[in-house]
Amino acid sequence: MLSSFARPAGAALRRSLSTSAQNNAKVAVLGASGGIGQPLSLLLKNSPLVSRLTLYDIAHTPGVGADLSHIETRAKVKGYMGPEQLPDCLKGCDVVVIPAGVPRKPGMTRDDLFNTNATIVATLATACAKHCPEAAICIIANPVNSTIPITSEVFKKQGVYNPNKIFGVTTLDIVRANTFVAELKGLDPARVNVPVIGGHAGKTIIPLISQCTPKVEFPEDQLTTLTGRIQEAGTEVVKAKAGAGSATLSMAYAGARFVFSVVDAMNGKEGVVECSFVRSEETECSYFSTPLLLGKKGIEKNLGIGKVSPFEEKMIAEAIPELKASIKKGEDFVKNMK
């Protein structure tokens, strides 16, 4: 169903090197000193799409900001530190990316991060709702299946909720699916596009290999293994880093790709499609990731699930109960917030 839309040239990072009079995006990164935040900020600083880059964290941001500010690209960079400086960091922003939170360690599930990261996301989302309510909010902080409902509920509480502008960044699942399929088939990964729907944890990650462009086919045993690898790729990195962190560099790349797509669409570029975990009516879950056509005001059109194979249909059915529970957990967290 996506063949009619070019993949946001996997080349998203190359593509961001196009220039236009509108390339004046003001972007904030909240959690900019962390393992994802630093490389993400570097990629954003490197893009001519960004004219102002504000960085926030609870420590080290003035240093990260000073370091990045020496790079010979046009984005003006400034670091902000501590809650009292957060409002200034956010004022006038078009896009806010939130990689803040604690990373996974070996043996931890994304759910184990819940209490710490839920509090961090709720605090930052409240500040965004107050100081840049019109901005596109891109949440990387895990568990995304709960942090997006948290962000939405916070924006509702502040009376500024716009479901077309709150995104759960699941792009890393797509990036991984593209890479793994390309490896198995000997293809150029920049030309492979696998839509990944559902959520952003374990079995809620549903790669639609049947909708891959170019068309690919795998025997069932290989398809099962490939799907499992895409779903557990985060754990693969956590184990390989042996307690020293989780996926940071690939997540920074995926986060930057998503931000560039959002900014391109805001600038009037047509046919920009990305998958993202958003408010949705495509299934019985109130949030679900599907391919989205992006536009000047965020989501222009939800492109839905499209035609899926029986194997994929079964995965969707199995993911729904877990997704519903994660969504409820996020919504309940905000209800019970002091």
Side-chain angles (χ1 to χ4, degrees), residues 30 45 123 143 158 171 173 275 278 282 316 321:
L30 310 186
K45 170 69 174 121
T123 305
Q158 297 294 326
T171 316
D173 300 326
C275 295
V278 296
E282 297 301 314
I316 294 168

Side-chain angles (χ1 to χ4, degrees), residues 178-202:
N178 295 342
T179 302
F180 301 163
V181 166
E183 280 172 1
L184 290 170
K185 293 293 186 186
L187 299 166
D188 173 357
R191 302 193 179 282
V192 176
N193 184 28
V194 180
V196 181
I197 65 165
H200 184 58

Side-chain angles (χ1 to χ4, degrees), residues 276-289:
S276 178
F277 187 67
V278 296
R279 183 81 197 177
S280 172
E281 291 172 4
E282 297 301 314
T283 65
E284 58 195 87
C285 290
S286 50
Y287 295 84
F288 202 82
S289 180

